Amino acid sequence: MKRTILWMSVGMLLLAGLPGCGFKDIDRRFFVMAIGIDKSEKPDKPYHVSLKMAIPFSKIEPGKTNTYQLVSDDASSITEAIRHMKSKVDKELDFSQAKIVVIGKQMSAEILQKDTLDWFMRRRDIQGAAYMALGDPSAEEVLNVKTDSERFPGDSLFLSFDHDGTESSYIVTEYLFDFHRRVTEKGLDPYLPIIRPTGNAYLIDQVAVFDKTKLKAVLSPEETRIFNKLVAKYQKFDIETKTDQIQFALNVDKIKTNYNIDTSEDLAPVLHLNVRMIGQAEESSKSFYEKPWSYYERLAEQGVAARYTHLLQKLQALNVDPIGFGLHYCATHHNGQQAEWTAWETIYPKLAFKPNVRVEIKSSGGVK
Amino acid sequence: MKPFDLHAAIPGLMHSGDLVSRGLNIDEESVQLVYLSSLCDKQYLQSSIMQAFGDSSDRADFKNRLSLIPGYEQVQSGDAAVQKLLRGYALVLFPDAICAIESAKASTSKPLDATMESILQGPQYAFSEDIATNVQIIRTRYPSKELRVEYSVIGTVSQTSLAILYDASKVDPDVLLELDERLSKIDAEVVQASNQVQMLLTDRYHLLPTGLVTDRPDRTVLNLSQGKVILLLNGTPFSINLPAVFFDFLDSMEDVYQYPWLMRPLQALRYIGACITMTLPALYVAFVSYNPEFFRAQLAIEIAGSRAAVPYASYYEVFLMLFLTEALTEASIRLPKHIGSTATTVGGLILGEAAQQAGLVSSIMIIIASSVAISNFVIPINTMSYAVRVAKFPLIILAMYFGLVGIVTGIFCFVLYAASLRSFGKPYLKLFSGEAKRSR
């Protein structure tokens, strides 16, 4: 008995030198921070994959420790490219921190094909909550930017998209899982924010809308802000109102949106969009201290409603539906045998938009 | 006049150097006084036996006077007489009888400072090393007519006396029965420590303690009032409280004395501490070597950077640092108090820092090693703290081979094991062991 225990413990001690098979120390891994997919010029190797890999530092300092290694490869598939790239680096590639996937603008039609996205969804170490964006002019150029404020490579992009750092109403966030869903879901179309490198910084103020096969249009920054409200339920907004008498700006910090589709009249379906905004005056050419502010509220409402209508009509003209009106319609008008979808396809082009905006001014924003 | 046959009366003790044997003569009759000088109080002998002897007119009168002295007993010759002698009795040998008079020296043992479980505001004294003093302490603190004290001996050679105390109105009779049964099965030769008794009463190979050993009289009395059985062993300043479940070991006496708003968070801190000290080193190995996706990107880069100087796999540095901290803890317990502080300074400050600068361990490992050590010290009861110290090593080995999955499995097995334990019939992981509200 005692002898068996002795031998067993000696065996255990010897085994202690041998770790398990998934064992790979953190310093033997190369953390891929961002993945870029571009279209290459070679027809037999259409995928130009770039990886931005972080070089580890023991002490993080902004602007100094964001050194990275950018590796690219052309191949016939993403898998092939990654496999070949492993021969270019000295450590094991680890995608567990790859929080952003940038698609080159040239590649935008291909990414909608299901098998391209498949690679991202299948790999267990790429998070479904990774951000997706479109790189203009190319993904590689976006990846190759080194901003001065970054603490580690890719930090700027992560902070921009997760609303943890900057909170801009121009930045639309799109996640990998959501994009994948939109590519396949009927009545809900994909969109991607566009990142434009500007020297050693980024500009993210546009959004690209897709139908199920290709990029349809790029929205202007002003349209992007409204888009952000509607699609991402983004809560921060500001309203500029300018008339001959007064010019004022409201800072809105609470927005409630809901809509319903009224098809009681077959020929003239209407979408009622109810928006309620609560905010305070931020800038004004007139003093703003006394209530009632209803006059200014009505002025602001008119401006906002016009902007909503403009965007909705533009999306309608493009025949894209990133807000998911179609999905909403199908979910609430079940008709068996997918008849509701064909019904929606005829309804959408003739849908009239009636935004009903209510602005409430909470305070004048100043102390008398 | 024939001399007394000491060989027959007290077999085996004749050659003890401290045996005093004196013949006392009254007229023509004689008696023999025998006692062990190292155990008996000479002053008392003088004032009781000698006084009685001086006043007596003959042997029968002397015998009558002796029987009036407190602690008088008649014993048979042979082993019974020897036992009495060894307990500090003086024997007076008459031709037809042996009288034993209790004359043991009064105990010099005083209550000690409570050092094992210090609390800030509350009783500051612990038990003493003498069983009579300890029983007296408990009787004073718990003056209830229901308090029962039973004496027994333990250890075939050491014959250490053991007091069993309980509140008859509250005690669970099943616990008493099981205790009697287990006590009768103990066949150890020498029993000297409370932890030893606790181990003998339960399974020798249990990882977790199922009897609570404490040096605090207040905790003991609280347990008495909760219907537990208390064992006091002569020669140790500790009481054994039975039954004891897991949650008793993470309770400090201050929890009872302070407002719940202050103590509940501190109690939570203790449970978190117990979890940290058990799992943190294993989690480090798992996260660094199997699942770095757990870390935020910045932390992952920093850890990778600080590990860049370390040429060995993560578990080597974990074992190295744990060895250092465990050795330090052990050294500071075993070393004389004056050298102990030097050892901790040398070990803690110099080795930790130097090991990191020499590139043997990463800087984050130093933090982990120290938080493991500190979290371990928040567990109030020493035996539980030992158990948790041991339990972390199997988890590290599991983490080495199977990563996070291994740790989850290990913790699951640990909980299973703890749930399978019974402390004198009480489930070990039972949350509220039915204690009365009035006891707090």
Side-chain angles (χ1 to χ4, degrees):
Chain A
M1 174 67 187
K2 277 196 174 152
R3 190 164 291 193
T4 337
I5 290 173
L6 187 76
W7 281 114
M8 270 171 69
S9 47
V10 168
M12 286 292 281
L13 267 179
L14 287 176
L15 274 177
L18 313 163
C21 22
F23 193 96
K24 176 85 67 181
D25 271 328
I26 196 164
D27 49 323
R28 307 282 195 276
R29 298 178 193 236
F30 235 141
F31 285 108
V32 177
M33 308 310 284
I35 306 168
I37 313 279
D38 280 310
K39 197 166 192 162
S40 77
E41 266 111 59
K42 301 169 196 157
D44 57 328
K45 291 179 174 178
Y47 292 97
H48 180 75
V49 179
S50 329
L51 300 180
K52 185 174 191 170
M53 291 177 295
I55 292 174
F57 282 91
S58 59
K59 208 172 156 213
I60 299 284
E61 275 179 70
K64 287 183 187 155
T65 51
N66 58 345
T67 328
Y68 59 88
Q69 190 174 343
L70 192 75
V71 183
S72 322
D73 204 84
D74 294 337
S76 56
S77 70
I78 301 176
T79 322
E80 277 300 314
I82 301 289
R83 204 159 289 160
H84 193 239
M85 252 184 252
K86 282 193 184 183
S87 65
K88 293 183 180 176
V89 292
D90 57 348
K91 299 187 189 97
E92 177 73 9
L93 292 181
D94 190 308
F95 287 92
S96 59
Q97 306 289 354
K99 270 204 336 205
I100 188 161
V101 179
V102 184
I103 313 293
K105 212 175 174 189
Q106 307 298 319
M107 196 67 186
S108 56
E110 263 92 322
I111 197 68
L112 295 176
Q113 287 161 14
K114 215 170 146 252
D115 46 340
T116 317
L117 268 185
D118 208 42
W119 183 81
F120 296 100
M121 302 308 291
R122 274 177 198 270
R123 272 203 76 108
R124 67 158 193 102
D125 50 353
I126 295 181
Q127 307 165 34
Y131 307 116
M132 295 249 340
L134 212 58
D136 183 11
S138 75
E140 194 174 2
E141 273 173 71
V142 170
L143 259 51
N144 216 352
V145 171
K146 191 175 172 184
T147 67
D148 290 338
S149 60
E150 270 183 335
R151 281 178 285 184
F152 56 89
D155 183 32
S156 283
L157 284 178
F158 300 164
L159 284 175
S160 303
F161 284 115
D162 66 4
H163 301 298
D164 208 12
T166 176
E167 296 189 23
S168 162
S169 58
Y170 292 100
I171 299 177
V172 183
T173 306
E174 175 62 322
Y175 298 98
L176 176 60
F177 73 90
D178 191 50
F179 186 75
H180 181 254
R181 179 171 77 114
R182 284 166 182 273
V183 167
T184 47
E185 186 80 83
K186 262 183 189 169
L188 187 65
D189 286 339
Y191 64 88
L192 285 179
I194 293 182
I195 308 173
R196 287 180 287 176
T198 55
N200 59 352
Y202 301 106
L203 180 61
I204 314 164
D205 63 352
Q206 292 178 328
V207 68
V209 286
F210 298 79
D211 64 3
K212 300 287 186 225
T213 52
K214 60 178 187 297
L215 193 155
K216 292 288 274 200
V218 174
L219 301 185
S220 73
E222 196 47 48
E223 290 162 347
T224 302
R225 294 172 70 197
I226 302 282
F227 184 89
N228 209 0
K229 243 98 295 128
L230 280 171
V231 174
K233 311 251 170 356
Y234 193 71
Q235 292 288 314
K236 295 256 161 63
F237 190 46
D238 38 33
I239 309 168
E240 271 276 334
T241 312
K242 201 173 178 181
T243 64
D244 297 336
Q245 287 87 39
I246 184 170
Q247 180 181 1
F248 65 93
L250 297 178
N251 180 32
V252 173
D253 48 22
K254 196 166 181 186
I255 304 172
K256 270 188 178 168
T257 313
N258 62 56
Y259 58 83
N260 56 60
I261 300 161
D262 181 6
T263 51
S264 51
E265 284 177 60
D266 270 353
L267 291 173
V270 177
L271 186 135
H272 294 284
L273 183 75
N274 304 310
V275 185
R276 184 163 172 251
M277 296 178 165
I278 302 171
Q280 57 189 28
E282 210 173 40
E283 194 183 335
S284 171
S285 60
K286 273 189 183 170
S287 81
F288 225 68
Y289 290 121
E290 262 112 70
K291 273 187 175 176
W293 294 311
S294 50
Y295 170 67
Y296 306 109
E297 284 171 353
R298 295 298 93 74
L299 271 182
E301 279 166 11
Q302 285 165 16
V304 177
R307 285 156 77 188
Y308 270 103
T309 321
H310 168 72
L311 176 70
L312 291 171
Q313 280 169 349
K314 180 165 184 176
L315 292 176
Q316 187 185 29
L318 291 167
N319 197 21
V320 293
D321 187 7
I323 303 156
F325 294 138
L327 188 63
H328 182 95
Y329 179 82
C330 291
T332 49
H333 294 73
H334 184 58
N335 205 358
Q337 302 304 316
Q338 307 219 322
E340 66 269 16
W341 175 245
T342 32
W344 172 251
E345 279 182 313
T346 57
I347 290 171
Y348 191 43
K350 55 186 178 189
L351 195 64
F353 299 102
K354 293 252 172 74
N356 171 28
V357 182
R358 266 181 59 211
V359 175
E360 280 172 40
I361 299 177
K362 190 170 63 181
S363 87
S364 64
V367 178
K368 207 174 182 178
Chain B
M1 195 193 81
K2 69 177 177 60
F4 282 93
D5 184 4
L6 281 180
H7 265 297
I10 43 168
L13 262 184
M14 284 297 296
H15 304 295
S16 292
D18 53 352
L19 184 83
V20 179
S21 171
R22 282 173 62 186
L24 306 172
N25 296 319
I26 311 173
D27 302 336
E28 291 301 299
E29 299 161 324
S30 74
V31 292
Q32 189 84 8
L33 172 67
V34 188
Y35 62 91
L36 286 170
S37 62
S38 55
L39 292 179
C40 292
D41 186 350
K42 292 190 188 69
Q43 285 276 316
Y44 180 73
L45 283 180
Q46 174 64 38
S47 63
S48 57
I49 299 176
M50 291 313 194
Q51 185 84 43
F53 177 70
D55 294 347
S56 313
S57 52
D58 60 9
R59 197 157 65 182
D61 185 27
F62 179 44
K63 200 173 174 183
N64 282 337
R65 282 177 190 275
L66 278 185
S67 68
L68 294 176
I69 298 173
Y72 163 88
E73 266 177 69
Q74 276 217 6
V75 289
Q76 297 295 315
S77 66
D79 276 343
V82 170
Q83 284 302 329
K84 288 290 171 204
L85 262 187
L86 287 174
R87 292 195 179 197
Y89 282 70
L91 301 184
V92 182
L93 278 62
F94 292 89
D96 53 347
I98 300 176
C99 298
I101 293 104
E102 188 181 1
S103 50
K105 276 180 191 162
S107 162
T108 50
S109 188
K110 270 190 259 169
L112 313 164
D113 283 332
T115 49
M116 299 303 290
E117 305 163 47
S118 305
I119 65 172
L120 285 178
Q121 291 181 325
Q124 298 293 322
Y125 278 108
F127 284 117
S128 74
E129 299 217 330
D130 175 55
I131 192 167
T133 318
N134 292 347
V135 173
Q136 182 218 333
I137 291 174
I138 292 182
R139 274 249 184 243
T140 341
R141 281 180 176 267
Y142 196 71
S144 160
K145 65 177 178 357
E146 299 290 349
L147 179 63
R148 301 275 189 278
V149 184
E150 288 170 13
Y151 288 95
S152 161
V153 287
I154 186 169
T156 49
V157 175
S158 67
Q159 294 285 319
T160 322
S161 54
L162 181 78
I164 305 167
L165 291 88
Y166 55 88
D167 185 315
S169 62
K170 290 174 176 164
V171 75
D172 181 356
D174 293 344
V175 174
L176 273 181
L177 253 163
E178 196 172 339
L179 178 67
D180 275 348
E181 192 188 324
R182 290 200 198 173
L183 276 176
S184 63
K185 277 188 192 150
I186 293 176
D187 57 352
E189 288 195 335
V190 178
V191 178
Q192 302 196 84
S194 302
N195 271 327
Q196 192 186 1
V197 176
Q198 183 240 312
M199 189 179 70
L200 290 168
L201 281 174
T202 55
D203 190 333
R204 194 180 157 79
Y205 290 104
H206 273 174
L207 174 64
L208 295 166
T210 47
L212 192 146
V213 174
T214 179
D215 69 342
R216 297 199 64 86
D218 51 342
R219 187 190 278 274
T220 311
V221 166
L222 180 75
N223 281 337
L224 256 185
S225 72
Q226 288 169 351
K228 295 187 181 176
V229 182
I230 311 296
L231 301 184
L232 291 170
L233 188 73
N234 196 20
T236 59
F238 297 100
S239 71
I240 307 159
N241 302 244
L242 304 165
V245 297
F246 181 77
F247 300 94
D248 293 335
F249 291 91
L250 284 157
D251 269 6
S252 156
M253 277 316 284
E254 211 131 23
D255 297 355
V256 185
Y257 300 150
Q258 299 274 14
Y259 294 114
W261 287 123
L262 313 179
M263 295 323 288
R264 288 287 182 265
L266 290 181
Q267 246 173 334
L269 181 108
R270 257 176 254 141
Y271 284 98
I272 295 168
C275 289
I276 285 181
T277 191
M278 218 166 91
T279 56
L280 197 62
L283 286 176
Y284 176 76
V285 173
F287 289 150
V288 161
S289 303
Y290 284 91
N291 307 86
E293 58 265 32
F294 176 83
F295 297 124
R296 293 205 65 150
Q298 184 171 345
L299 193 59
I301 289 169
E302 272 181 308
I303 292 176
S306 76
R307 264 199 55 77
V310 184
Y312 297 109
S314 59
Y315 57 90
Y316 280 108
E317 53 170 345
V318 169
F319 277 125
L320 180 73
M321 273 323 278
L322 285 187
F323 171 78
L324 277 180
T325 47
E326 294 298 322
L328 256 178
T329 320
E330 193 60 17
S332 46
I333 297 171
R334 308 288 164 228
L335 274 176
K337 278 204 177 71
H338 307 288
I339 313 174
S341 58
T342 327
T344 45
T345 319
V346 170
L349 291 174
I350 301 168
L351 276 181
E353 185 77 355
Q356 189 235 324
Q357 283 184 356
L360 282 178
V361 295
S362 62
S363 49
I364 195 124
M365 192 57 227
I366 308 265
I367 301 169
I368 287 175
S370 48
S371 49
V372 164
I374 292 166
S375 315
N376 190 45
F377 299 148
V378 301
I379 299 173
I381 304 283
N382 196 252
T383 39
M384 180 53 81
S385 142
Y386 272 127
V388 172
R389 255 168 86 185
V390 173
K392 66 178 172 245
F393 288 100
L395 284 181
I396 299 174
I397 291 171
L398 282 171
M400 250 167 72
Y401 294 119
F402 309 108
L404 208 52
V405 183
I407 299 178
V408 172
T409 316
I411 293 173
F412 179 71
C413 292
F414 181 79
V415 172
L416 259 179
Y417 168 72
S420 76
L421 284 181
R422 295 284 178 278
S423 174
F424 289 83
K426 292 273 183 292
Y428 197 59
L429 284 188
K430 194 175 179 186
L431 259 180
F432 307 102
S433 48
E435 47 207 52
K437 234 187 184 132
R438 270 171 299 151
S439 65
R440 9 185 104 234

